[in-house]
Amino acid sequence: QKEVEQNSGPLSVPEGAIASLNCTYSDRGSQSFFWYRQYSGKSPELIMFIYSNGDKEDGRFTAQLNKASQYVSLLIRDSQPSDSATYLCAVNPGSGDMRFGAGTRLTVKP
Amino acid sequence: NAGVMQNPRHLVRRRGQEARLRCSPMKGHSHVYWYRQLPEEGLKFMVYLQKENIIDESGMPKERFSAEFPKEGPSILRIQQVVRGDSAAYFCASSPIVGGQETQYFGPGTRLLVL
């Protein structure tokens, strides 16, 4: 079982819709959770981090964490074509290094 | 306020040559992480370093790869006797503290192509 799993996609949504990205992780001791956005040929860019169970909102982005289910998600409201990218879920098990999922490719169609 | 800096941005090597990739962390950051990303794949952790100390190298191949973060100067990822399978994007990230909740910020990456 992979440490961090994401649906590879592609996930396609129309402009203005809600995009929902999901991630599961295997290490129950994981302490912090991150979502990065990566445009093709570019480096990962931090979008959000979440440490506690529940929801965390930042503008159009909402991260959701459920440690009991070992599940973390990212919702993007009012999706824009500029949101089209690969979204990487990352989990820090507490040892300093980060474990990344393979990423979900999102396409927002005008 | 400079971010994480990596150089070179692109590096071409022939099989058997050495590749040296450099990373300067963000100001105030003392922890450096190296990741490798193959085309159409996710990021794979390689090594985590503090100044003059390797903390975790569990993701580093046992042969030909080494990393250092000296007291002065950038962190260096060194690949000896490169092979075609080493062609990838190598990203460096830095963070300010250790403890399990620090956020890592990425540099622009070095794209290595082995001919």
Side-chain angles (χ1 to χ4, degrees):
Chain A
Q1 181 188 7
K2 292 182 180 178
E3 292 182 83
V4 181
E5 294 207 49
Q6 296 180 252
N7 289 330
S8 61
L11 173 66
S12 181
V13 300
E15 184 175 357
I18 295 175
S20 178
L21 305 162
N22 305 314
C23 174
T24 58
Y25 60 95
S26 60
D27 187 341
R28 282 197 171 274
S30 297
Q31 300 181 14
S32 49
F33 308 86
F34 303 83
W35 283 99
Y36 286 84
R37 176 176 61 197
Q38 188 176 27
Y39 293 111
S40 181
K42 302 295 184 182
S43 61
E45 171 192 10
L46 179 70
I47 297 177
M48 291 190 71
F49 58 87
I50 185 167
Y51 305 144
S52 304
N53 278 328
D55 295 359
K56 179 181 179 182
E57 187 174 318
D58 184 1
R60 295 187 296 112
F61 299 96
T62 299
Q64 299 174 317
L65 174 61
N66 185 325
K67 289 186 178 180
S69 301
Q70 295 174 246
Y71 173 89
V72 58
S73 67
L74 179 70
L75 300 177
I76 307 174
R77 290 182 300 281
D78 188 23
S79 296
Q80 302 297 309
S82 58
D83 294 328
S84 298
T86 297
Y87 289 80
L88 302 171
C89 172
V91 175
N92 190 327
S95 55
D97 58 298
M98 196 100 80
R99 306 297 176 181
F100 281 83
T104 298
R105 187 176 299 176
L106 172 66
T107 300
V108 180
K109 295 187 175 179
Chain B
N1 185 16
V4 179
M5 298 172 65
Q6 290 187 249
N7 67 82
R9 297 288 296 275
H10 300 273
L11 182 61
V12 180
R13 285 287 179 267
R14 297 190 180 280
R15 282 179 294 170
Q17 291 184 319
E18 178 180 287
R20 282 191 179 224
L21 288 62
R22 297 175 195 80
C23 169
S24 296
M26 285 179 71
K27 187 175 181 179
H29 289 193
S30 56
H31 303 269
V32 166
Y33 313 79
W34 285 94
Y35 296 86
R36 177 166 62 179
Q37 187 174 38
L38 296 170
E40 305 302 319
E41 293 189 12
L43 290 160
K44 292 290 190 286
F45 167 78
M46 299 181 75
V47 62
Y48 163 34
L49 311 105
Q50 296 177 33
K51 288 280 188 182
E52 299 184 285
N53 199 11
I54 297 175
I55 305 302
D56 181 354
E57 56 182 346
S58 59
M60 194 89 102
K62 293 289 187 285
E63 298 177 351
R64 301 187 299 107
F65 286 73
S66 63
E68 62 176 6
F69 190 14
K71 186 176 180 180
E72 301 290 338
S75 175
I76 306 277
L77 179 66
R78 183 183 177 202
I79 312 173
Q80 296 178 289
Q81 299 175 342
V82 295
V83 301
R84 286 199 175 134
D86 296 332
S87 296
Y90 292 83
F91 291 100
C92 167
S94 72
S95 70
I97 60 172
V98 69
Q101 295 190 338
E102 67 278 9
T103 299
Q104 295 180 19
Y105 297 91
F106 282 82
T110 294
R111 274 84 181 158
L112 172 65
L113 175 63
V114 179
L115 300 176

